Amino acid sequence: MINLMEQAKSQITQLINEGIEKAVAEGQLPQVQIVDITVEVPREKQHGDFATNIAMQITKQAKKAPRMIAETLINHMNLTDTYVEKVEIAGPGFINFYFKKEWLYGVITAIEQEGTEYGKVNIGNGEKVMVEFVSANPTGPMHMGNARGGALGDCLASVLEWAGYDVTREFYINDAGNQIEKFGKSLEARYIQLLKGEDAFEFPEDGYHGDDIKERMQEFIAGEGDKYLEISSEERKDAFVAYALQKNIDKLKEELELYGITYDVWFKESTLYENNEVQETIDYLKEKGYTYEKEGAIWLEASKLGAEKDEVLVRNNGIPTYFTADIAYHRNKFVKRGFDRVIDIWGADHHGHVARMKGAMEAIGCNPDKLEIIIMQLVRLLRNGEVARMSKRTGKSVTLRDLLDETGTDAARFLFNMRQAGSHLDFDLDVAVAQSDENPVFYVQYAHARICSILRKLEEEGVEVQSVNKINLARLETEEEIALLKKLVQLPEEIAIAALTLEPSKITRYILDLAALFHSFYNACRVKVDDKELMMARLKLVDSIRIVMKNVLNMLKVSVPEKM
RNA sequence: GCGCCUGUAGCUCAGCUGGAUAGAGCAACUGCCUUCUAAGCAGUGGGCCAGGAGUUCGAAUCUCUUCAGGCGCGCCA
């Protein structure tokens, strides 16, 4: 994998280290302790391609003015055999590096060589990491929170794959415990009501009122009739749950598939009970002395593990809580399946769960730092500039399905990843469906389509993209072309940063920037010009942009139209 | 009351783990199609980075604090 950014930075680091060594050897600097040399790309391009603040950082140790230190260092740098063209001191003591154009042109070669792989980095070293996301309750339809979580989780998983991790996408099915109990009761009530009238059976107070429950039972009756009126409540609830749950899970799968999400594992909570892992977990915690009994329940001393207060593990009716199952689940992820890292994506309404979950990890002997929980802030849906809680079509709260029907997968996936997980997100339906400059998805896709159009036009005239060794890249010298080359160089690093910070939103912003630079270029420079050499160079540049855009959009699973 | 998140242009948000003159996109205004897709581009205006204190060569960024908003604090999940 070629990472020009990395190469450049390591060259600079080496130059500085050599500079310091020599200066120290010659007595021009005292012995200094360097923790980390930061090399960054300055915001202002007149400050060069790279800059370092090392001179300012060692001011105290060196007991000299930063600009003096900078000068000393520069005097001891040997620039031969490097890409560095020029070094300058600037401002309070920055050292600015100007790179030769050859370095920048190298990106075209890199893209040609790596093609669909360009942008990949290996910071993960094949580490096994799980991303668990959505995990919506199978008792009803998915909501806007699930929609955001889906886009975030799936794109994050992709980013991690591109960064060299071995990623598993997982959906946790809550098919056990209290809510399934409620689910069963609700189904039973609807079944009897449908066959014998509304008044024949009282609907449970805390039951699920959604229409989907009724629908399930209508389907069930259509197939099986009324024979379940005769059997025991226990038996028929089990039968209803088994039927409706499978139906609901199939529907979840289908809708997520439509959303571009395919999971590697659908993990059922019930298997934790079947395989005795919940009990194993409880026994383990007991053994380690983290539990006590109070009022007939078994408690976890979570307060001693960093949480706010203690938590019930097993209710006084003998049934373990959701929390206990979740501990067993995470124990399964780490201990039974050997994941190096586990990333959970939760809605902000679950943030109270974080501290006790981390505490529980410690209690079961897993490193809590290996469990990373992304807390995603809630989504506000806007329509006509106003908060829209209800779907236009159904009058009920807006589901993932409604959203996809209205805006399509591309817009939803892209727009949900425009914001960082931690920031509250306003999802504007009018923007999502707008086919204009307001809509960032179209803006990016349009750039790609424009490029394809150029390629088509020239191909019709018999002009094709040539391999890099036949092209005089030095002809790429306008401001717009240089800016584009620099942006292309950045992709591997952007992916690395997105993976490290767990923020796929960096990538959507990257691709928006690239599209903007392309559109500027398009208006400032023509590809199809009489100067053949220039045309071939620009054609190659444009084709390289196309490859990068396609790579990134494929990664995000946003479609890449060649015509619009 | 306690805890988590957020506060940057009229609106929606970036700001790359502390850098140089705080940036985009919408919205407003002015221009740009006989030449590769105007779903585009160029330009103009717009800011007490919520307030205050601290840390240091240097703070939108880190710490503390006040204020405002969101969310949570169950033998629910």
Side-chain angles (χ1 to χ4, degrees):
Chain A
M1 281 171 250
I2 306 167
N3 190 340
L4 293 170
M5 228 39 188
E6 199 66 13
Q7 283 172 13
K9 285 185 177 181
S10 77
Q11 275 195 359
I12 291 172
T13 313
Q14 207 178 330
L15 283 174
I16 293 164
N17 278 327
E18 280 172 16
I20 292 173
E21 266 173 47
K22 287 188 200 160
V24 170
E26 291 177 23
Q28 293 173 9
L29 271 184
Q31 198 61 249
V32 286
Q33 278 288 322
I34 311 287
V35 233
D36 199 14
I37 297 171
T38 56
V39 178
E40 55 184 15
V41 179
R43 201 166 29 216
E44 305 289 328
K45 56 176 177 278
Q46 65 261 35
H47 293 138
D49 296 308
F50 295 94
T52 177
N53 58 355
I54 187 73
M56 277 117 85
Q57 282 184 328
I58 59 173
T59 305
K60 265 196 177 161
Q61 292 186 58
K63 298 190 179 69
K64 282 175 108 175
R67 287 190 67 107
M68 295 270 290
I69 299 167
E71 202 181 332
T72 310
L73 293 183
I74 290 172
N75 288 338
H76 288 92
M77 284 179 191
N78 180 6
L79 301 184
T80 48
D81 294 331
T82 71
Y83 282 119
V84 182
E85 186 170 68
K86 188 172 69 165
V87 190
E88 274 179 5
I89 306 168
F94 289 101
I95 304 175
N96 295 340
F97 295 83
Y98 297 78
F99 270 54
K100 293 173 189 162
K101 289 284 192 316
E102 284 67 45
W103 170 72
L104 204 51
Y105 296 142
V107 73
I108 301 290
T109 309
I111 293 170
E112 180 177 295
Q113 281 177 10
E114 301 198 326
T116 55
E117 305 281 295
Y118 178 74
K120 288 192 176 172
V121 286
N122 186 13
I123 56 170
N125 277 315
E127 220 180 18
K128 268 186 77 175
V129 44
M130 174 196 292
V131 183
E132 185 221 318
F133 59 106
V134 182
S135 298
N137 283 331
T139 50
M142 288 180 280
H143 49 71
M144 291 304 288
N146 298 137
R148 185 179 189 182
L152 173 64
D154 197 46
C155 290
L156 173 61
S158 295
V159 165
L160 290 170
E161 280 167 347
W162 273 63
Y165 292 90
D166 175 9
V167 181
T168 297
R169 290 170 171 81
E170 181 151 318
F171 189 113
Y172 182 52
I173 306 170
N174 301 121
D175 66 339
N178 245 336
Q179 59 177 12
I180 288 300
E181 205 54 31
K182 275 198 283 182
F183 189 50
K185 282 183 190 161
S186 307
L187 288 164
E188 178 183 42
R190 290 304 185 212
Y191 181 80
I192 297 171
Q193 287 179 339
L194 280 165
L195 290 167
K196 300 171 75 174
E198 287 276 323
D199 301 329
F201 198 93
E202 197 186 342
F203 195 77
E205 207 175 312
D206 56 351
Y208 294 111
H209 290 271
D211 290 340
D212 50 304
I213 301 282
K214 228 182 263 180
E215 282 166 29
R216 285 297 96 77
M217 284 298 96
Q218 274 161 348
E219 297 158 9
F220 190 82
I221 290 166
E224 303 281 335
D226 63 357
K227 60 188 178 205
Y228 283 77
L229 288 171
E230 308 305 323
I231 62 173
S232 76
S233 172
E234 266 329 292
E235 274 180 277
R236 75 177 160 229
K237 275 191 292 186
D238 285 352
F240 294 164
V241 165
Y243 170 80
L245 204 56
Q246 194 51 50
K247 275 268 174 190
N248 279 3
I249 292 168
D250 290 347
K251 210 172 161 197
L252 290 176
K253 274 190 196 175
E254 186 192 319
E255 280 180 21
L256 287 164
E257 201 87 26
L258 197 67
Y259 198 18
I261 302 172
T262 309
Y263 285 95
D264 300 300
V265 180
W266 290 76
F267 191 100
K268 285 187 173 177
E269 181 183 356
S270 56
T271 61
L272 295 167
Y273 290 94
E274 286 158 17
N275 299 335
N276 210 33
E277 291 184 50
V278 176
Q279 192 55 47
E280 272 175 30
T281 303
I282 296 166
D283 292 344
Y284 184 89
L285 290 169
K286 269 187 188 164
E287 209 174 289
K288 291 283 166 184
Y290 286 116
T291 63
Y292 62 89
E293 282 191 39
K294 195 177 84 181
E295 292 160 15
I298 299 173
W299 291 71
L300 177 73
E301 278 189 279
S303 56
K304 286 204 177 143
L305 294 157
E308 278 178 63
K309 53 193 172 62
D310 294 348
E311 296 291 333
V312 172
L313 287 176
V314 183
R315 288 179 267 251
N316 60 13
N317 62 8
I319 299 171
T321 61
Y322 167 85
F323 180 47
T324 311
D326 216 12
I327 300 172
Y329 177 42
H330 283 83
R331 183 165 165 265
N332 175 286
K333 292 180 182 180
F334 284 113
V335 179
K336 307 258 165 172
R337 285 190 281 165
F339 281 95
D340 300 309
R341 286 171 74 189
V342 169
I343 298 167
D344 289 357
I345 296 177
W346 296 352
D349 52 341
H350 284 64
H351 76 251
H353 199 47
V354 175
R356 55 178 179 263
M357 204 58 221
K358 293 237 182 192
M361 287 300 99
E362 191 146 4
I364 58 168
C366 296
N367 181 354
D369 294 337
K370 303 260 170 150
L371 172 64
E372 292 161 278
I373 296 164
I374 298 177
I375 293 298
M376 186 184 65
Q377 295 302 310
L378 301 176
V379 178
R380 230 174 23 158
L381 207 58
L382 300 179
R383 193 198 301 280
N384 304 326
E386 284 173 12
V387 177
R389 287 193 195 289
M390 299 302 153
S391 157
K392 251 197 308 205
R393 192 168 51 82
T394 62
K396 299 278 162 62
S397 64
V398 182
T399 65
L400 172 64
R401 189 51 185 265
D402 296 330
L403 179 78
L404 294 182
D405 288 346
E406 192 162 341
T407 70
T409 303
D410 287 349
R413 290 184 70 100
F414 198 92
L415 294 176
F416 276 126
N417 275 299
M418 293 255 305
R419 303 278 168 265
Q420 298 180 352
S423 58
H424 301 257
L425 186 143
D426 287 342
F427 192 98
D428 194 326
L429 284 165
D430 302 310
V431 166
V433 296
Q435 308 216 343
S436 73
D437 52 1
E438 274 183 79
N439 189 339
V441 194
F442 276 84
Y443 185 80
V444 173
Q445 291 176 327
Y446 182 52
H448 182 268
R450 260 185 157 176
I451 294 173
C452 292
S453 173
I454 296 173
L455 295 172
R456 270 196 306 271
K457 270 265 155 47
L458 286 170
E459 205 182 327
E460 283 167 18
E461 297 178 21
V463 181
E464 292 196 5
V465 182
Q466 291 185 330
S467 69
V468 72
N469 52 25
K470 292 183 184 156
I471 291 170
N472 182 9
L473 291 169
R475 296 301 305 276
L476 301 175
E477 49 193 356
T478 66
E479 201 181 314
E480 289 81 10
E481 290 159 336
I482 299 300
L484 275 166
L485 289 166
K486 285 185 177 174
K487 202 74 198 176
L488 295 176
V489 167
Q490 278 168 9
L491 181 62
E493 180 154 287
E494 292 287 346
I495 290 187
I497 292 171
L500 288 172
T501 56
L502 307 181
E503 284 288 1
S505 62
K506 306 236 189 248
I507 302 303
T508 54
R509 249 175 279 124
Y510 170 84
I511 202 66
L512 267 169
D513 286 350
L514 183 64
L517 290 172
F518 168 74
H519 286 308
S520 290
F521 162 82
Y522 184 86
N523 277 271
C525 314
R526 287 185 56 82
V527 175
K528 198 178 148 191
V529 286
D530 292 336
D531 182 339
K532 185 100 193 281
E533 193 184 51
L534 180 60
M535 177 171 76
M536 294 319 288
R538 284 185 173 166
L539 184 59
K540 186 68 181 177
L541 170 65
V542 153
D543 192 50
S544 303
I545 300 164
R546 180 187 64 80
I547 292 169
V548 167
M549 296 196 99
K550 196 170 178 183
N551 286 359
V552 170
L553 291 177
N554 279 343
M555 185 176 80
L556 300 175
K557 292 198 209 112
V558 171
S559 65
V560 195
E562 296 186 359
K563 271 185 193 169
M564 285 174 77

